[in-house]
Amino acid sequence: MSSNVHSPGAAAAAVSGRPGRALARAAGALVGGPMLWRLASVALFCLTWEVAGRIPVSYAFPTFGATAAAFAAMVADGSLPAAFAVTLLPLVIGVTLSAVLGVGIGVLMGLRRGAEWIAAPVFIVLQAAPMAALIPLVTFVYGIGLTSKVLAVCLLALPVIALNGYKAVRNVNPSLLAMARSFLASPWQRVVRIILPDASPVIFAGLRLGVSAGFIGVILAELLITPTGIGDLITYHRSIANYAEMYASIASIIVFSAVTLAVLQTVEVALFRPEKKGT
Amino acid sequence: MGAVRRIDAARAGRPGPATADPIVQVRGITKRYGSTEALKDVDVDVPRGKLTTLLGPSGCGKTTLLKIVAGLLDATAGEVLVNGKPISGPGPERAFVFQDFALMPWATVITNVAFGLEMRGVPKAERLETARHCIREVGLAGFEDRYPHELSGGMRQRVGLARALAVSADVLLLDEPFSAVDEQTRRKFQEDLLRLRHQENKTFLFVTHSIEEAVYLSDAIVMLSRRPGRVNRIIEPAIDRSGSPDEIRRDRHYLDTVEEIWHSLRDFVE
Amino acid sequence: MTLFGVRVPMMASLILWCVLWEIVGRLDLIFLVPPFTAVLAAAWELVNTGTFQRATVTTLWAFFVGMGFAIAVGVPVGLLMGRVPAADRLLGMWVNVFVSAPLSALVPVLMILLGMGETTVVATVFLFAVWIIVLDTRAGVQHVPASLLEMARSYGAGRWRTLTRIVILSALPEILAGIRLGMIRGVKGVVIGQLLISIIGYGELFELYSRNFLMEQFWALTILLFAFAMLVAEGVGMLEKKIEYYAGVRQ
């Protein structure tokens, strides 16, 4: 995950020239590394967890084995899948909304000076700001239902998606733009054939950051305001001191988000990066 | 011998040679960036069907001048005429070859080459046919479906050249096309360019900072002085190109011309 | 980057948004949105109250201690990962998972392990900030030009001096970028941690205001927080600009 895709300012360029590239590299290390190393890495993590649980570091720190067993039990009795379904619905709605709106606004800000002047500062502020503070406010207006959760997701996901779209378009390779102009591309052709394809890696990086922020938002909303889904599982098992179940819920949502992001990247490469296939 | 015909612009009073049939006429071009003057009152005539080179030290504004001719930059003052008509931007009669190739990394070679035709609304079958022909022309047959990152620097620039050939423009504008290419490839490329120039009845306007390259390729060399760039003088190295490339490079006349240009450029190098 | 030249007038549009806020507030359409001037007045009052000052001290303390730990751990780990391939392969996967993981889910764990106090907030800040610092430091180390490393070797620099005189200095732009992004995440972490614990610092105040529908105070606190977040980001951003000149040369 790159730094610069997340940064609102000029320093983005200092990191790797083009935003998104560091992200692609990081993911490459994640996916492309030798299988053996990854297995060793996972094994080491589980072993450390197990040992820490055996010591134990805290009465509230279950071993890896106990957590895995709790996970299996929760999958078997259906409580975990049900909680996932409840959590994922607002996440999917919120991220979809944010993606459509965010990419639209972001690209518009990148293309139009007027839109940039009006909207970019707002998104720069929102992206750097702790938007989580506004989640209690959302509950006022929309209660503790689905709408609140969707809004919580949008609050966290929209700014980063919009800002990435904006930066992606503003950082399009000027040489390609000159090329399109010299070969008589119309403004529309320039947008569709040059700007959007060249900006798409950073736009997709923004979408992944948005998904990641959306996960944070939906969990936060469930912990803070609406006791449902994974958040409820965490709170409930904590309240009755079922620590293995609590850890299993947390670990499962973290692993799930990591897998989701990896899948999104694979899909992106498969659908939109013909030049990267098989390399 | 004295076969170097030259018109000393400064002494002649009015710069620029009176070419019988200029396809591109640069008239009094001045370009300022803020307070720095990149070009000052430049007049150049580019003769039809010839290869003209803009030569000068870095920072003399030769690329700026080429981009103004291409319509990619606006001049502060002066005008550019192509086929007698003033230009107001890029046009179908000019095609540009970029120093950094400017290939779309997400598109295959053939899509890149067909890009200009696509922008002109040429139907798909026809533009692919033309693109395929041009790819063969630059010696890249068999690489149509590769992506730019799979090609070497020299091959990428051939794609850039094929793209410019595909739109069948009268004037090809080449901005230091070989500067990102190694020396061996560069020489091969220069030979190909000479061959192309004889096959295709096109005008080439070429920017380089290599004296050898300029003398080897050009019918006319426009020498620009250091900032602000202005036409220092114009040399027409009438090199006999009937021999093999190696013979040309050993030719006394070729070597003398290179030497002469170096002496006159030396004053600009601290 | 022309951004700096553009930014000054661009940020001016925020004034326009504030005016719009004021108008919406004056129209009294939604009780959630009090006039902007009323919020500013509330902010002024708030700043002068003892509760706010105490909450600020608590929050800043948690933020800076958490950031201190994040930098103290993140930079060395990043250096290690950048220099030692085995460490990179073992840790890389987990750093990549945690940098984009929903860390808000981990706060309940911290609450039971570390108690409902400031330690948990410090740990939240640390967890939010550390991963991006590791990743950026690692990227910076890997971008150190090979020729610089060879130069150091050929002039007889040992491992330690190569690290201190070449690697860290060359990676400094990326390290600072990582710290800036870490700080932005840290601010989010401190707020999320306090909101979830809800009995200390700003979290307590947020809880108080939203329970009692004190909208002016709520927004005042939000604006102060946002301003703090921007200030932190801009502060490190300025430090970055100072060393950007050689980052540009290096490329």
Side-chain angles (χ1 to χ4, degrees), chain A residues 173 175-176 178-186 189 193-194 197-198 274-276 279, chain B residues 71-72 90-92 96 98 100 102-106 115-116 118-120 147 149 163:
Chain A
N173 185 350
S175 176
L176 279 182
M179 186 281 288
R181 229 152 60 79
S182 85
F183 284 98
L184 305 174
S186 65
Q189 283 171 320
R193 293 301 313 277
I194 303 292
D198 201 42
E275 76 273 16
K276 290 236 178 76
T279 56
Chain B
L72 290 172
F96 204 94
F98 292 82
D100 63 357
L103 301 179
M104 300 176 283
W106 57 84
F115 183 79
E118 188 188 342
M119 295 302 108
R120 271 158 227 208
Y147 288 93
H149 72 93
R163 176 173 60 195

Side-chain angles (χ1 to χ4, degrees), chain A residues 7 10 12 15 23 32 52 55 89 98 108 111 143 158 161 170 175 183 192 197 203-204 211 257 264-265:
Chain A
S7 77
V15 177
L23 184 96
I55 295 175
L89 181 65
S98 306
L108 196 68
L111 292 175
L158 184 64
I161 296 178
R170 286 299 301 272
S175 176
F183 284 98
V192 173
I203 293 178
F204 277 108
V211 171
S257 89
L264 280 181
Q265 181 139 35

Side-chain angles (χ1 to χ4, degrees), chain C residues 4-243:
Chain C
F4 196 65
V6 181
R7 179 179 261 169
V8 184
M10 204 166 88
M11 280 301 175
S13 72
L14 286 177
I15 297 170
L16 209 72
W17 288 102
C18 292
V19 171
L20 193 72
W21 182 345
E22 179 71 19
I23 293 170
V24 173
R26 284 279 165 88
L27 289 176
D28 224 4
L29 294 174
I30 329 164
F31 96 99
L32 283 179
V33 185
F36 185 64
T37 44
V39 172
L40 285 185
W44 179 246
E45 268 174 42
L46 193 62
V47 171
N48 289 312
T49 60
T51 13
F52 175 82
Q53 285 161 4
R54 274 191 300 280
T56 306
V57 171
T58 312
T59 308
L60 286 181
W61 187 83
F63 176 72
F64 283 110
V65 173
M67 279 312 300
F69 277 115
I71 294 168
V73 172
V75 173
V77 171
L79 289 175
L80 184 76
M81 285 172 68
R83 295 287 282 164
V84 183
D88 193 29
R89 287 179 182 146
L90 281 179
L91 298 176
M93 190 178 138
W94 297 105
V95 174
N96 276 301
V97 165
F98 281 111
V99 80
S100 53
L103 294 168
S104 46
L106 275 176
V107 179
V109 171
L110 299 176
M111 274 149 70
I112 50 172
L113 289 181
L114 305 170
M116 299 285 281
E118 289 178 25
T119 326
T120 301
V121 182
V122 170
T124 313
V125 172
F126 172 82
L127 270 184
F128 269 70
V130 71
W131 312 108
I132 193 74
I133 298 177
V134 172
L135 267 192
D136 269 16
T137 304
R138 170 183 172 273
V141 173
Q142 289 180 338
H143 285 174
V144 177
S147 62
L148 264 186
L149 293 176
E150 284 163 3
M151 184 278 290
R153 249 178 71 198
S154 73
Y155 283 102
R159 268 186 157 252
W160 177 249
R161 283 210 289 179
T162 307
L163 188 72
T164 53
R165 298 291 305 278
I166 305 288
V167 175
I168 291 182
L169 292 179
S170 179
L172 204 54
E174 281 92 344
I175 295 176
L176 278 183
I179 291 177
R180 180 172 55 84
L181 296 166
M183 284 196 161
I184 292 175
R185 286 170 170 232
V187 173
K188 296 176 180 182
V190 86
V191 169
I192 288 175
Q194 291 192 348
L195 276 175
L196 285 173
I197 295 174
S198 79
I199 53 166
I200 52 168
Y202 289 162
E204 187 189 4
L205 292 182
F206 268 120
E207 185 76 11
L208 185 76
Y209 299 150
S210 53
R211 276 207 198 290
N212 298 303
F213 301 100
L214 298 170
M215 279 306 113
E216 287 167 15
Q217 279 80 356
F218 181 93
W219 281 112
L221 187 55
T222 311
I223 284 189
L224 288 171
L225 254 180
F226 279 27
F228 174 71
M230 285 309 284
L231 214 68
V232 164
E234 289 299 304
V236 188
M238 260 156 62
L239 193 63
E240 274 180 72
K241 281 229 169 60
K242 277 199 167 167
I243 57 157

Side-chain angles (χ1 to χ4, degrees), chain B residues 51 194 197-198 213-221 237-245 247-248 251 254:
Chain B
L51 197 154
L194 278 182
R197 202 173 79 65
H198 287 292
E213 182 165 281
V215 177
Y216 182 72
L217 291 173
S218 316
D219 299 303
I221 300 173
I239 307 283
D240 172 22
R241 293 198 179 83
S242 56
S244 75
E247 279 167 358
I248 299 173
D251 182 62
Y254 164 83

Side-chain angles (χ1 to χ4, degrees), chain A residues 84-100 146 149-154 157 161 207 210-211 213-215 217-219 222 256 260 264:
Chain A
F84 261 96
V86 172
T87 299
L88 290 185
L89 181 65
L91 183 69
V92 170
I93 299 176
V95 165
T96 312
L97 270 177
S98 306
V100 172
L146 181 68
K149 287 212 248 171
V150 169
L151 275 175
V153 171
C154 290
I161 296 178
L207 286 177
V211 171
F215 268 103
V218 77
I219 296 293
E222 288 180 348
F256 185 84
T260 309
L264 280 181

